[in-house]
Amino acid sequence: MKFGATPIAALVASLLLPLASSIHILPDSNGALSLQDSYDYIVVGAGIGGLVVANRLSEDPTISVLVIEARDLDDRAEDVSIPGNIGLEDPRRYKVKLDLAVQEFLDGKERVISQGKVVGGSTIVNGLVWTRGSMANFDAWERLGNPGWGWAGLLPYFKKCEKYTVQPSNRPAHNFPMDVYPVIEAHGNKGPVEVGYPNYYYNQSCNFLDGIQELGIPVNEDPNSGNATGASLIPSSMVAKNQSRSDARIAYLDPVLNRPNLHLVTGHTVTCILYDNDGATFLNSTYIPGASGLNMIGVEFAANSTANKIRINCEVEVILAAGAIFSPVLLQISGIGPAKLLGNLGVDIAIDLPGVGSNLQDHPTLQPVYKYTSPDVFSAWDIVGSTRDAVREEYFTNRTGPWTAPMVDIIALPALSWVTDDLQEWLDEAMNTTNNLPLFYDETLHAGYLAQRDEVISMLARTDTPAYEVMSTSWGQLGVSAMQPLSRGTVLAKSSSMFENQPIIDPRFCSHSIDCKLLLLALGFNDQLIQTSPMAALIPVAPPGFGIADARNQTMVDEAMRSIITSGFHLSGTTSMLPIDLGGVVDSSLTVYGTRNLRVVDAGIIPLLPAAHIQAALYAIAEKAADIIKAGN
């Protein structure tokens, strides 16, 4: 939204009170907020990106930072902090439901997913899995036109964000199901996010690991050192000493609550980014890197659709960190995005930028539960009644027992050549199969997709990057995900109002057929796995449609599979860090093309989804972004 020469502060003076000394600013009895009339940096969103950047920028006491978050602080209750409660929390507390569009390449039905809506974002509700991905995943980012964003450029930030602990000093030796010999020089030991291992492992974790090896998949003792393939005991984002969740809030916000130059407003939604460019419209075809562009002068926000809108000045930069769904939507309703979409929304076009909301990527996932019927099996499902009371008491007394175990602690990431004898046929099919890209993709987005496709196919040919993931959970799932997806989707604003926006989110799962073919391969691997002697000892019962007998009818299995494929909760790419002629939205400094002082720091900037759970990468991205912002200003 263009905002002219009238001083913003004058328009909001009646709404503002004197500067508050507390970082967490709440409305007074009249609904007014005690804010400065301007800040050096305004950060939109308090997830990983927002909290990391706000923490690092406010290290300079002369710099003022305002963070605006739509939801509130969590209450640190047991369903949040205890690893054993993952997946059992009340979803209404800190999650928001999002509808996915009809999935035409699956079963023609909609999906509903959720994501964290709370200070700390999805780190408050995620599964704690701490995997980085392979060296090749990030080197591909650099080859796609992002100097400094390869493995070598990101490794210092992977290390900077983490405090990695194999064995807490106050605990006896872990009963690990496998040896853990990390590459110590690849890990950090002083970072804000604690990364460690639980004090308890379910017996079936050992069976899974032994069965995987029986199928010829090697053990990888440190999947975070640059080579991700193999079967691994994975670390979690958890405090080793007290076996509790380590999230973005406790890592990057709580320790700096005494900084008077860092303010957090919760319960308010940013409705528009304000700019002043004297009415000029930026055309992507004329963009010159380094040239002057739109000047962001602040943001507009409100508590709800009927509340007074508040406008705050920004002296240096606005930093979007609202996530891969809401950052592109906010850009679109602020006038930055595909011209046709903005016109349909009735939004004035400030920057015609086709990539905003395109290039959506995710790991398509299905989670069949193989019920273990052996009487000797104890799983998370058995923690009920008096057993739950005993497990709870053990946790709070000794910080040991099943409640220290997260939902996922062992995974297998096979390279494609390990699970098929027809590698070249797969690669040829991936190259030659036409992807059903969205009809409105322009030539830059098509060019960007082809560059990404070549990188993905190159990685599928390697032995240090996986084709899919198999996750063993604490209650019996053998969940599978395609880790190098070739399908691409979109996120489009439905309304010009953030309060009326249920975005049109369409990941377009399996619009490239190779993704579903990889998932079928993974299910076939599961069939082999449950027949190995270690897994057979659990007496597993496959879910309907996925049994060994069913496997003979691939058409039936494919149909059953497509009905349950959903999000892997790793949505990314919608504000991609790519050259503008490849459909990019931000450059390698994370600055939005055509602007002087607007950046994006969240999963949306990921140009190519790494073959990993993405929270570790997001922390590294945000740490690197903070250094880039400091250096640039």
Side-chain angles (χ1 to χ4, degrees):
M1 175 183 290
K2 181 184 176 183
F3 196 74
T6 304
I8 296 175
L11 297 180
V12 296
S14 63
L15 295 173
L16 304 182
L17 299 174
L19 173 63
S21 59
S22 170
I23 185 176
H24 186 200
I25 298 173
L26 298 172
D28 65 14
S29 59
N30 297 317
L33 296 170
S34 179
L35 295 169
Q36 299 174 201
D37 60 358
S38 69
Y39 291 82
D40 293 308
Y41 295 93
I42 298 176
V43 180
V44 181
I48 291 176
L51 292 183
V52 172
V53 167
N55 177 303
R56 296 307 186 189
L57 293 179
S58 64
E59 288 173 340
D60 181 346
T62 68
I63 296 296
S64 59
V65 180
L66 172 65
V67 182
I68 305 170
E69 167 58 43
R71 297 299 176 96
D72 297 308
L73 295 163
D74 72 276
D75 58 9
R76 302 281 94 180
E78 292 181 8
D79 63 338
V80 169
S81 62
I82 297 174
N85 283 334
I86 291 169
L88 304 177
E89 70 277 356
D90 182 348
R92 296 168 296 181
R93 279 161 44 81
Y94 303 122
K95 294 181 180 179
V96 61
K97 288 186 177 180
L98 298 171
D99 295 328
L100 301 186
V102 167
Q103 293 305 289
E104 62 177 304
F105 302 99
L106 296 181
D107 57 357
K109 295 181 180 179
E110 298 179 347
R111 303 288 193 275
V112 177
I113 64 169
S114 63
Q115 64 177 196
K117 292 294 288 184
V118 60
V119 174
S122 290
T123 67
I124 304 297
V125 296
N126 68 14
L128 308 186
V129 176
W130 192 263
T131 53
R132 294 173 176 174
S134 293
M135 186 183 303
N137 292 146
F138 303 101
D139 289 346
W141 292 10
E142 195 157 36
R143 287 191 297 272
L144 287 169
N146 300 299
W149 286 91
W151 176 261
L154 276 168
L155 182 57
Y157 297 102
F158 277 121
K159 295 168 68 174
K160 183 177 183 180
C161 71
E162 77 174 10
K163 180 181 178 182
Y164 178 80
T165 304
V166 177
Q167 173 61 49
S169 59
N170 65 331
R171 296 283 176 233
H174 275 299
N175 182 25
F176 282 151
M178 59 172 280
D179 291 331
V180 176
Y181 295 109
V183 180
I184 295 300
E185 59 270 22
H187 293 278
N189 57 14
K190 297 179 180 178
V193 183
E194 296 216 33
V195 178
Y197 298 85
N199 285 330
Y200 180 90
Y201 289 91
Y202 291 93
N203 287 338
Q204 56 264 34
S205 294
C206 302
N207 295 70
F208 176 85
L209 183 63
D210 291 343
I212 288 287
Q213 292 178 84
E214 190 173 300
L215 293 177
I217 305 299
V219 163
N220 185 341
E221 294 169 352
D222 189 350
N224 290 328
S225 62
N227 179 346
T229 52
S232 297
L233 185 71
I234 53 172
S236 299
S237 49
M238 64 189 298
V239 181
K241 186 175 182 180
N242 69 8
Q243 297 284 287
S244 66
R245 178 185 295 273
S246 180
D247 54 65
R249 175 191 160 183
I250 65 171
Y252 284 91
L253 178 64
D254 289 359
V256 297
L257 286 173
N258 61 343
R259 289 181 185 167
N261 61 325
L262 173 57
H263 290 178
L264 169 68
V265 171
T266 58
H268 285 70
T269 297
V270 174
T271 57
C272 194
I273 308 164
L274 307 172
Y275 63 88
D276 185 2
N277 74 331
D278 297 324
T281 298
F282 166 83
L283 300 175
N284 63 20
S285 59
T286 62
Y287 174 74
I288 302 173
S292 62
L294 240 60
N295 180 41
M296 302 297 131
I297 58 173
V299 300
E300 180 182 84
F301 61 99
N304 53 60
S305 60
T306 61
N308 290 325
K309 291 181 179 178
I310 303 169
R311 288 171 170 167
I312 295 293
N313 271 331
C314 172
E315 300 297 333
V316 183
E317 289 190 8
V318 173
I319 299 166
L320 282 186
I325 301 301
F326 290 102
S327 281
V329 168
L330 183 55
L331 285 171
Q332 290 164 3
I333 68 174
S334 300
I336 302 173
K340 185 175 180 180
L341 171 66
L342 304 189
N344 292 338
L345 293 172
V347 171
D348 292 338
I349 301 171
I351 303 177
D352 177 17
L353 198 53
V356 176
S358 292
N359 198 39
L360 175 63
Q361 301 166 53
D362 194 5
H363 291 132
T365 299
L366 59 152
Q367 300 175 335
V369 176
Y370 295 74
K371 185 177 180 181
Y372 303 138
T373 61
S374 168
D376 298 330
V377 171
F378 176 80
S379 78
W381 291 130
D382 298 311
I383 304 177
V384 294
S386 59
T387 300
R388 184 183 186 279
D389 294 337
V391 166
R392 185 178 185 275
E393 181 179 0
E394 180 180 6
Y395 177 84
F396 283 108
T397 302
N398 302 316
R399 300 290 166 159
T400 57
W403 262 14
T404 72
M407 182 172 62
V408 178
D409 53 34
I410 288 189
I411 63 174
L413 292 163
L416 184 55
S417 61
W418 296 351
V419 289
T420 179
D421 295 327
D422 303 316
L423 176 63
Q424 193 56 52
E425 291 182 19
W426 279 82
L427 300 179
D428 291 343
E429 182 176 344
M431 176 66 74
N432 297 322
T433 299
T434 300
N435 189 323
N436 297 287
L437 293 173
L439 294 177
F440 59 82
Y441 266 32
D442 75 342
E443 61 183 11
T444 68
L445 287 163
H446 276 275
Y449 176 75
L450 292 177
Q452 294 172 49
R453 181 201 62 184
D454 291 348
E455 292 294 343
V456 170
I457 292 172
S458 173
M459 286 187 283
L460 286 173
R462 301 172 63 110
T463 57
D464 58 353
T465 53
Y468 59 81
E469 175 186 55
V470 183
M471 295 179 291
S472 173
T473 71
S474 58
W475 55 71
Q477 279 179 352
L478 297 177
V480 297
S481 300
M483 298 306 282
Q484 311 276 357
L486 280 164
S487 300
R488 296 292 181 270
T490 56
V491 173
L492 305 174
K494 186 182 287 188
S495 164
S496 60
S497 167
M498 284 297 288
F499 291 111
E500 297 173 4
N501 244 311
Q502 165 58 268
I504 303 170
I505 308 167
D506 188 1
R508 307 176 78 254
F509 291 128
C510 292
S511 54
H512 193 296
S513 60
I514 204 75
D515 295 347
C516 266
K517 187 173 180 180
L518 282 170
L519 289 174
L520 275 175
L521 186 68
L523 288 174
F525 182 85
N526 279 3
D527 290 335
Q528 297 176 56
L529 177 61
I530 62 175
Q531 295 179 75
T532 62
S533 53
M535 291 295 288
L538 301 174
I539 316 178
V541 176
F546 297 99
I548 295 169
D550 300 321
R552 301 189 188 100
N553 186 337
Q554 285 292 286
T555 300
M556 184 177 69
V557 175
D558 181 75
E559 182 177 342
M561 175 190 75
R562 288 174 189 266
S563 70
I564 62 172
I565 290 173
T566 188
S567 171
F569 303 103
H570 300 151
L571 294 102
S572 58
T574 49
T575 52
S576 285
M577 177 177 58
L578 286 168
I580 196 164
D581 59 359
L582 295 182
V585 175
V586 301
D587 62 19
S588 57
S589 72
L590 306 187
T591 302
V592 176
Y593 288 116
T595 74
R596 301 176 189 175
N597 58 342
L598 174 62
R599 300 194 208 232
V600 183
V601 184
D602 58 36
I605 70 96
I606 291 175
L608 195 61
L609 192 56
H613 297 245
I614 62 174
Q615 69 161 329
L618 293 178
Y619 280 110
I621 287 168
E623 286 280 14
K624 184 176 177 69
D627 276 358
I628 289 172
I629 295 167
K630 288 180 178 181
N633 293 319

